[in-house]
Amino acid sequence: MEETKPRNLGGSLPVPNVQDLAGRPDELAVTPTLLRRYVRPQPNTADLRPDAPAGEEQEHVPIIDLGRLLNPDGLAGGRDEEAARLRSACEDWGFFQVVNHGIPEETVEEMKKNVMGFFALPLAEKTAFAQQPGEIEGYGQAFVVSEEQTLDWADMFFLLTQPPTYRDLRLWPSNPSTFKTCLENYSTEVQRVAGELLGAMAENLGVRDHSDMTRLAASQSVRMNYYPPCPEAHVDSVLGLSPHSDAVGLTLLLQVSKVPGLQIRRKGGWVPVTPLPGALVVNVGDVIEVFTNGKYRSVEHRAVVNARHERMSIATFHSGRFGTMYGPLEEVVGDGEPRYRSVSVQEYVKLVVSSKLDGKNIMDAMKID
């Protein structure tokens, strides 16, 4: 019997299309109330970390060479050094960039081209794939749970991609013509990378059965993000994506356009992340924090907007399959006490979808008091 996803896990309230709003600058200028729900009370730049003091090097997100990490026949100690670098990145940062990941360059570039092509379609053509009530998949927005909350300056196209039985192919567009084939190829390659990283994490953690961790790559979803230019007068008080940690196992992010926007919370401020050419930005999700009983911690991040340029990115989320459980791994807990609850994947997803993006609120709900 084929495995299928449960339905009616929850959705998001309908909101205006931001790309359409941004395309009407004259109307926005004379009707400021159109932006009211996007403007935040505190400037986004207020808590950016200052430049490093003289003589002190500015911190950068760690870089992991996946080929070196996985190569048992590499230079003496090379694999061990890379494994130690991965351990440090997971424990101290929660973020890193992965290079030498083996995804063909043409697969990456085709994926970028198809995402840009989709968001360039007329609004009427894109809304043919709009989210339906009670569903998170499709074109629209996520985590909007009330008419009062501040909105993000972004649109998204969200699809379940792995396993294939989870896919709703009615939502996979035929324009651009190569979209379906390209997404399938990209999805498979990124899932491989996620599984390899999770296996290396399991080894670092001393988890004998690596499948205890790699099962967090069994399910995959893709969120394609479009951040339009924001009116100059509001660019410092509008966010493309609210501060949050990812409520999944492992996220791999591909920057589509050259405009930066990702920032991570570190040491009381926000640190900008500039993706390396060809790299994927990886972050530890809430579920890995649960599995490792807090040894590896998910980290808040956000997306800022630009006054003149659009920005696009592709976030690929990896989690456990429906019908399985989330909870601290016994080998990691050892003689200690579990700090997080154990719940079914379905129960967890319902919790996530019904919540707004708000820091680490999902982790707060999962902690054992």
Side-chain angles (χ1 to χ4, degrees):
M1 183 176 176
E2 284 193 337
E3 180 188 4
T4 57
K5 65 182 180 187
R7 298 190 64 81
N8 301 317
L9 292 170
S12 182
L13 295 177
V15 295
N17 182 270
V18 181
Q19 189 175 5
D20 179 57
L21 272 179
R24 296 182 275 141
D26 293 341
E27 187 177 346
L28 288 175
V30 299
T31 317
T33 53
L34 289 174
L35 284 168
R36 177 182 56 83
R37 288 194 67 189
Y38 301 90
V39 176
R40 295 163 193 265
Q42 298 297 325
N44 297 330
T45 54
D47 51 355
L48 271 173
R49 288 180 61 198
D51 293 335
E56 182 180 324
E57 186 178 350
Q58 176 68 54
E59 285 191 301
H60 297 285
V61 173
I63 299 167
I64 304 299
D65 184 320
L66 186 59
R68 192 167 182 249
L69 178 67
L70 300 178
N71 184 8
D73 302 318
L75 295 173
R79 185 171 185 239
D80 291 343
E81 288 176 5
E82 213 63 34
R85 191 172 288 117
L86 175 65
R87 181 187 302 109
S88 174
C90 292
E91 291 179 351
D92 184 48
W93 280 83
F95 266 83
F96 55 90
Q97 299 198 53
V98 62
V99 298
N100 194 16
H101 44 61
I103 302 178
E105 183 180 358
E106 57 268 26
T107 300
V108 172
E109 293 305 316
E110 276 295 308
M111 191 67 227
K112 291 180 181 179
K113 190 188 334 180
N114 274 272
V115 168
M116 289 189 285
F118 175 80
F119 284 120
L121 294 173
L123 179 60
E125 198 166 339
K126 292 195 291 280
T127 52
F129 305 99
Q131 296 161 322
Q132 298 302 305
E135 298 292 337
I136 191 65
E137 275 195 277
Y139 179 60
Q141 193 46 268
F143 309 111
V144 182
V145 298
S146 80
E147 299 291 347
E148 289 74 39
Q149 78 182 72
T150 304
L151 299 177
D152 292 335
W153 189 254
D155 301 317
M156 73 156 196
F157 188 30
F158 184 84
L159 296 172
L160 298 185
T161 46
Q162 299 288 355
T165 52
Y166 283 10
R167 298 172 185 169
D168 185 346
L169 294 178
R170 296 170 301 175
L171 296 172
W172 289 46
S174 55
N175 186 18
S177 61
T178 57
F179 186 96
K180 292 179 181 178
T181 302
C182 178
L183 179 57
E184 185 163 15
N185 292 340
Y186 179 77
S187 161
T188 301
E189 288 284 354
V190 175
Q191 186 180 39
R192 170 188 59 78
V193 174
E196 290 169 346
L197 288 169
L198 287 162
M201 290 179 192
E203 190 166 330
N204 276 342
L205 289 162
V207 176
R208 288 186 296 274
D209 186 349
H210 287 189
S211 67
D212 285 343
M213 286 290 289
T214 59
R215 70 182 181 92
L216 292 182
S219 170
Q220 183 194 71
S221 57
V222 174
R223 173 174 168 148
M224 293 153 272
N225 302 299
Y226 181 85
Y227 305 99
C230 180
E232 186 81 49
H234 299 286
V235 74
D236 286 335
S237 55
V238 170
L239 283 176
L241 196 58
S242 300
H244 68 288
S245 57
D246 286 348
V248 297
L250 198 67
T251 302
L252 282 74
L253 179 80
L254 175 64
Q255 177 89 359
V256 174
S257 49
K258 294 182 179 179
V259 179
L262 175 64
Q263 297 177 346
I264 65 174
R265 185 177 286 283
R266 183 165 173 81
K267 298 179 180 178
W270 293 100
V271 177
V273 177
T274 303
L276 298 170
L280 296 169
V281 178
V282 182
N283 63 284
V284 168
D286 293 341
V287 178
I288 286 183
E289 179 171 330
V290 170
F291 270 44
T292 64
N293 208 35
K295 188 175 181 66
Y296 295 172
R297 294 181 61 81
S298 59
V299 172
E300 284 185 66
H301 50 285
R302 67 182 187 180
V304 297
V305 293
N306 191 284
R308 292 175 298 280
H309 303 291
E310 65 185 6
R311 176 175 175 259
M312 284 171 270
S313 64
I314 307 165
T316 308
F317 305 114
H318 298 86
S319 302
R321 291 193 185 194
F322 292 107
T324 61
M325 297 288 292
Y326 287 158
L329 297 177
E330 289 184 9
E331 280 182 278
V332 179
V333 174
D335 295 330
E337 295 291 330
R339 299 170 57 192
Y340 303 90
R341 297 189 291 125
S342 293
V343 299
S344 70
V345 172
Q346 187 165 340
E347 180 184 352
Y348 180 81
V349 171
K350 284 184 176 181
L351 168 67
V352 172
V353 174
S354 64
S355 305
K356 69 175 183 177
L357 290 181
D358 185 13
K360 297 192 65 170
N361 57 330
I362 303 301
M363 284 293 86
D364 292 339
M366 287 290 292
K367 285 179 180 174
I368 296 174
D369 292 332

